[in-house]
Amino acid sequence: MATMYKYDDYDQTMVDARVAEFRDQTARRLAGDLTEDQFKPLRLMNGLYLQLHAYMLRVAVPYGTLSGAQMHMLATIARKYDKGYGHFTTRQNIQYNWIQLKDAPDILADLATVEMHAIQTSGNCIRNISSDQFAGVAADEVVDPRPYAELLRQWSSFHPEFSYLPRKFKIAVIASDEDRAAMRLHDIGIQMVEKDGALGAKFFAGGGMGRTPMIGPCVREFVPVDELISFSEAVLRVYNRYGRRDNKYKARIKILVHEMGIDAFRAEVDAEYEKMQPLDLEPPRAELKRIEAFFAPPAYEAAEDGYDLSDPDFAIWAETNLFPHKVPGYAAATISLKPVGGIPGDASADQMDLIADLAARYSMDEVRVTHAQNLVLPNVKQADLYALWQELDGAGLAPANLDRASDIIACPGLDYCSLANARSIPIAQRLAERLAPVERRLGDLQIKISGCINACGHHHAGHIGILGVDKKGVESYQLLLGGSAAEDVSLAKITGPGFDEHGIVDAVETVTNLYESERQDGERFLDTYRRLGMAPFKEALYG
Amino acid sequence: MIILTGNDLKTGDVVWWDGQGWSRHLADAVDAGDEAEAIMAREEAARRVNAVYEIEGEQTAEGPRPAHIKDRVRGRGPTVRPDLGIQAEAS
Ligand code: HEM
Ligand code: SF4
């Protein structure tokens, strides 16, 4: 059985009640009793958007953890109600692109049978909480961050005070110095840390991407673990009170923190926190203990590190797609959803079913979704790795390209998204085709593409970022260099004038060629860029 | 020409104003001309189609062509999945 939170009666009742409510609302809409103006906010509260070709349903995957049964259900929904596939997103969620309104209540009812829903996947509320895809198994974490993410999930679900924030609100929780969740680019970023033997949180706020990207500054160095909720509450209250409701483009907390300055913002939070003390808002310790118990390490078998690498194709995959596990004899395996020429993050229903089966057989029934639109089997015995790889390979799920040039993040862009200015997916496909043959040589290289300024494809945080813009009705692409979503977080800078859809592929190659000729020992692309600065790249691009 | 488009309430399908009602085929789109506003108001009230909006387009040998690429993509389906959307039915 998967190591994950299990709904109690309270959780299940809430979700079931919401399904029943939405069923009634949908029936009234279909009967013509509700106008679209009346219905739209109701459907959005249940993750149902209207996109380019149909309704789109966004399903929450709390902190990216799925059981095999949940993954099977996602496959079933893709097959039964959609066109046989789903899209895993940078927010560790899944989106279906071809949903019919009449089916939406049934889909939500099906999801509820496996403790899933689409609540708070839209709107100006606290959205799905993201985390490290290796939470609970990473050798470098101080603690499994998921119990704290779960506590925050419970606190933020239907929180009446925070249902109408100035704007959407995204929280990430990690527990290692290496940041695998783009934590500093969230409205609140939490890093669980230890100080003098006590557990607590290093607390960041005011990060984000979108049209005004910001790296979140530190609000407090150490918040003891049993003050985590009250401190979060204080930050949200300050934002809720002072956030710019007058201007949608200035409404995110990043703008507030930036305009106030971190010191003034911190002072407001401290004052609010003081005032809140008598209210005693922290959940009882017993609740945290109850949650923590769900995440107790599973029964690992005693095993030794090491496995047979005699098959060279397997060896390449193992070298690229495996992550060290904290338990000897185990590994966390990334299933790349980035086949060259494929659509980043898309998985077919059959692939999802297979992955669920593989999780049951090889990974203690657990799957994770990564913010780079890949999946992870976190608990694989090293002795099983070769058998696992063979099955993945047979289903087109074994690209050995994690963090390589063809492991590109791309948002849906103009192929699916009604806000898009340009297509993202075809650019990712052409780039992957161009660079895959040399990607082992290029090493760690993260390319991230968004189809508009909203930055769902994290282009600000790409070592190489690409932003689609509308140039008098024609798709055009800006090139950005030098971003990072990791612990060495930085925002990418625009190189100069944009390129057309062919030019952008050549431009990226110009950049990687320059890197190859200039790099010094052991340098990643990002290191070379940081050492050389923008000038030589500009020169190579625009001469 | 002025083309009216929206999404079918029940199915979400992209639809185009064909003079009498809503067609799933862009090829059926007609010039709504001066009546665009009146048709949109009437159709919103009928509550069968969502998010109706008017776009510029031109009549070509291959049929109506929306001015903006976004609506051309809506008229066929995802360019990266020719097996999906109305483009898959047409052939
Ligand atoms: C297709 C329908 C989508 C719509 C309409 C949409 C809409 C938006 C909007 C309006 C923003 C900007 C919010 C702001 O700056 O205040 C945004 C940001 C973002 N979205 Fe999406 N999005 C869509 C799909 C996706 C997908 C597929 C992903 C994951 C791959 C995603 C992940 C994100 C992320 C990570 C951000 C930036 C982080 C931030 O908010 O600072 N979105 N989205
Ligand atoms: S970045 Fe723009 S185009 Fe891409 S999914 Fe987000 S809103 Fe759509």
Side-chain angles (χ1 to χ4, degrees):
Chain A
M1 239 185 17
T3 303
M4 62 192 291
Y5 180 73
K6 305 275 180 315
Y7 277 12
D8 61 9
D9 285 350
Y10 190 75
D11 296 299
Q12 191 68 48
T13 305
M14 274 193 338
V15 171
D16 291 344
R18 180 53 94 77
V19 174
E21 185 183 55
F22 187 60
R23 194 180 288 287
D24 175 63
Q25 291 161 345
T26 303
R28 282 151 64 205
R29 175 67 180 124
L30 287 170
D33 298 339
L34 295 178
T35 64
E36 183 60 9
D37 283 349
Q38 290 165 329
F39 182 65
K40 189 174 171 186
L42 304 175
R43 68 168 158 78
L44 286 175
M45 279 183 219
N46 293 284
L48 194 66
Y49 291 70
L50 188 61
Q51 281 304 312
L52 219 47
H53 310 293
Y55 294 96
M56 179 276 275
L57 182 69
R58 181 182 289 160
V59 177
V61 181
Y63 32 91
T65 294
L66 287 167
S67 68
Q70 290 177 327
M71 188 60 127
H72 274 308
M73 181 55 81
L74 295 179
T76 301
I77 288 168
R79 202 174 277 123
K80 197 163 145 193
Y81 304 107
D82 203 88
K83 293 184 189 276
Y85 70 108
H87 176 72
F88 289 96
T89 82
T90 53
R91 302 225 58 256
Q92 299 175 298
N93 290 327
I94 182 168
Q95 294 184 176
Y96 295 102
N97 295 303
W98 303 91
I99 297 301
Q100 306 204 359
L101 178 58
K102 61 181 176 56
D103 294 333
D106 292 336
I107 300 174
L108 296 182
D110 284 357
L111 285 171
T113 64
V114 292
E115 307 184 358
M116 294 184 81
H117 59 72
I119 296 162
Q120 289 179 210
T121 61
S122 173
N124 296 334
C125 53
I126 300 175
R127 303 290 191 89
N128 187 39
I129 290 164
S130 48
S131 186
D132 184 347
Q133 67 271 24
F134 300 125
V137 306
D140 63 349
E141 71 186 14
V142 300
V143 65
D144 184 344
R146 291 175 302 165
Y148 315 99
E150 173 58 27
L151 189 69
L152 286 158
R153 185 193 73 81
Q154 296 191 11
W155 159 76
S156 61
S157 294
F158 299 119
H159 194 312
E161 195 178 338
F162 304 137
S163 296
Y164 292 96
L165 291 167
R167 197 81 179 87
K168 57 169 85 164
F169 205 91
K170 301 174 182 176
I171 302 177
V173 187
I174 66 171
S176 52
D177 287 333
E178 198 175 284
D179 180 1
R180 295 175 285 263
M183 183 268 289
R184 298 284 298 280
L185 298 167
H186 282 71
D187 298 274
I188 285 179
I190 291 172
Q191 182 184 353
M192 302 304 294
V193 289
E194 258 174 5
K195 197 174 131 195
D196 308 327
L199 187 65
K202 189 167 182 185
F203 211 102
F204 300 86
M209 287 182 262
R211 72 178 56 222
T212 323
M214 299 275 180
I215 295 167
C218 183
V219 185
R220 197 174 268 202
E221 284 290 333
F222 191 81
V223 178
V225 67
D226 47 13
E227 297 177 35
L228 186 61
I229 295 298
S230 2
F231 194 78
S232 304
E233 179 99 18
V235 172
L236 261 300
R237 283 185 167 193
V238 170
Y239 168 55
N240 209 12
R241 181 159 162 208
Y242 296 113
R244 294 276 300 268
R245 286 171 194 273
D246 61 312
N247 182 339
K248 187 177 166 183
Y249 301 121
K250 302 203 167 188
R252 295 288 291 265
I253 192 176
K254 63 191 172 187
I255 305 290
L256 180 68
V257 172
H258 182 72
E259 288 187 349
M260 279 178 105
I262 180 61
D263 293 332
F265 180 80
R266 189 183 293 119
E268 286 290 343
V269 170
D270 289 349
E272 183 61 36
Y273 192 53
E274 261 329 288
K275 257 188 282 179
M276 279 169 44
Q277 289 309 313
L279 300 177
D280 196 16
L281 291 177
E282 199 62 32
R285 198 70 210 258
E287 179 57 16
L288 183 55
K289 287 267 166 274
R290 185 183 77 87
I291 294 171
E292 278 169 342
F294 287 105
F295 294 92
Y300 291 109
E301 292 169 27
E304 306 242 311
D305 276 333
Y307 41 96
D308 180 6
L309 287 167
S310 51
D311 181 331
D313 290 331
F314 169 66
I316 289 176
W317 179 81
E319 184 202 317
T320 316
N321 287 37
L322 295 183
F323 183 82
H325 200 287
K326 68 170 147 197
V327 176
Y330 282 81
T334 296
I335 301 173
S336 165
L337 297 180
K338 316 288 178 65
V340 173
I343 297 178
D346 276 13
S348 71
D350 291 349
Q351 289 178 326
M352 288 188 241
D353 273 334
L354 175 69
I355 290 165
D357 288 339
L358 294 175
R361 270 187 285 147
Y362 297 120
S363 180
M364 299 177 161
D365 206 32
E366 252 188 85
V367 186
R368 305 288 176 77
V369 185
T370 86
H371 86 269
Q373 304 170 302
N374 290 318
L375 299 174
V376 168
L377 297 180
N379 281 317
V380 185
K381 256 191 290 180
Q382 292 179 11
D384 292 334
L385 281 169
Y386 187 61
L388 168 68
W389 172 79
Q390 285 179 304
E391 295 207 44
L392 289 172
D393 198 34
L397 289 168
N401 62 357
L402 183 63
D403 292 334
R404 298 290 151 104
S406 66
D407 180 13
I408 297 173
I409 292 181
C411 79
L414 195 53
D415 282 297
Y416 290 102
C417 174
S418 54
L419 301 177
N421 285 326
R423 286 172 297 164
S424 313
I425 298 166
I427 305 302
Q429 293 174 319
R430 298 298 85 73
L431 273 173
E433 285 158 2
R434 182 77 66 90
L435 296 176
V438 297
E439 69 184 351
R440 307 206 64 72
R441 233 166 57 204
L442 294 175
D444 187 331
L445 177 62
Q446 295 171 16
I447 303 178
K448 308 187 181 186
I449 311 175
S450 306
C452 82
I453 194 78
N454 287 324
C456 305
H458 290 197
H459 64 275
H460 299 296
H463 296 177
I464 297 179
I466 295 172
L467 166 64
V469 295
D470 180 338
K471 212 167 152 191
K472 299 196 185 100
V474 180
E475 295 163 293
S476 174
Y477 298 91
Q478 286 180 349
L479 182 62
L480 299 90
L481 302 178
S484 168
E487 60 285 359
D488 60 351
V489 61
S490 61
L491 299 171
K493 291 197 174 66
I494 296 178
T495 54
F499 303 88
D500 69 11
E501 60 183 297
H502 307 290
I504 189 68
V505 179
D506 295 337
V508 169
E509 197 177 33
T510 302
V511 165
T512 57
N513 283 344
L514 182 66
Y515 156 64
E516 284 205 88
S517 64
E518 293 295 325
R519 82 170 138 196
Q520 297 176 351
D521 275 357
E523 274 186 342
R524 301 171 298 164
F525 168 80
L526 187 60
D527 303 322
T528 304
Y529 170 81
R530 285 176 175 169
R531 178 170 54 79
L532 295 177
M534 180 66 94
F537 290 96
K538 254 193 151 117
E539 176 65 25
L541 287 164
Y542 305 104
Chain B
M1 66 191 284
I2 302 291
I3 301 173
L4 299 184
T5 182
N7 292 73
D8 183 82
L9 168 64
K10 207 187 286 186
T11 62
D13 285 344
V14 174
V15 289
W16 311 89
W17 179 251
D18 68 5
Q20 260 98 54
W22 297 94
S23 167
R24 293 168 63 235
H25 300 276
L26 172 58
D28 297 337
V30 297
D31 188 355
D34 297 341
E35 285 175 69
E37 296 294 327
I39 298 169
M40 284 203 290
R42 202 173 69 224
E43 290 297 314
E44 286 286 355
R47 299 182 190 178
R48 287 185 302 258
V49 173
N50 269 344
V52 179
Y53 62 101
E54 63 180 285
I55 56 171
E56 296 276 339
E58 55 176 343
Q59 199 56 258
T60 71
E62 287 87 48
R65 179 182 152 91
H68 200 277
I69 180 175
K70 170 180 157 188
D71 298 296
R72 297 202 291 276
V73 174
R74 291 178 73 244
R76 52 176 284 186
T79 67
V80 290
R81 290 293 302 266
D83 57 324
L84 299 180
I86 200 83
Q87 61 191 344
E89 293 172 28
S91 52

